[in-house]
Amino acid sequence: QVQLMESGGGSVLAGGSLKLSCAASGGQVWKICAVAWYRQSLGKARESVSSITIDGPTTYADSVKGRFTTALRKGANTLFLEMEMERLTVDDTAQYMCAARTCGQVSFDWWGQGTQVTVSA
């Protein structure tokens, strides 16, 4: 199994910055091939924010390109996924969740509980 734990959410004024972190741990961390950040705001469908393949490229949603930067660090038996969010807007307000999947999978196998980001005008 893999456990994902997000941290770093909070409230910020529009134009501000936040950094989110996600720690992946558990006996099957070695199986992870890709990790991602998703978000879901009230009344809207969940959307992919960024995704990164282990030792591969990072992709971003058009709405966050140039503002959000995702980085992946590997530990002994853990992975740390971080996302720097800059020039935040009220439209970035959402619950942010990290997810991980194994190789050969299209959908994500494991999800974190999420962390709330609230941007005020």
Side-chain angles (χ1 to χ4, degrees):
Q1 282 296 328
V2 171
Q3 292 80 44
L4 301 174
M5 180 66 72
E6 302 95 338
S7 61
S11 297
V12 66
L13 293 175
S17 302
L18 280 175
K19 181 178 179 179
L20 303 184
S21 299
C22 174
S25 61
Q28 297 188 24
V29 168
W30 63 273
K31 289 185 175 181
I32 294 175
C33 271
V35 290
W37 284 104
Y38 279 78
R39 68 184 181 186
Q40 187 167 22
S41 51
L42 204 59
K44 295 184 179 180
R46 185 170 60 194
E47 63 172 340
S48 174
V49 178
S50 72
S51 63
I52 183 167
T53 305
I54 304 299
D55 297 325
T58 304
T59 61
Y60 297 94
D62 287 343
S63 59
V64 306
K65 277 181 184 176
R67 299 188 300 120
F68 290 13
T69 304
T70 297
L72 182 66
R73 295 186 291 117
K74 300 177 188 178
N77 290 301
T78 61
L79 289 176
F80 298 96
L81 181 66
E82 297 176 334
M83 185 163 69
E84 293 270 8
M85 305 185 296
E86 299 177 335
R87 302 193 304 279
L88 287 161
T89 74
V90 294
D91 290 336
D92 295 317
T93 294
Q95 181 86 346
Y96 285 72
M97 298 155 282
C98 63
R101 63 170 177 83
T102 55
C103 299
Q105 295 292 328
V106 176
S107 60
F108 285 85
D109 302 284
W110 301 288
W111 292 84
Q113 292 294 316
T115 185
Q116 179 68 31
V117 171
T118 302
V119 184
S120 303

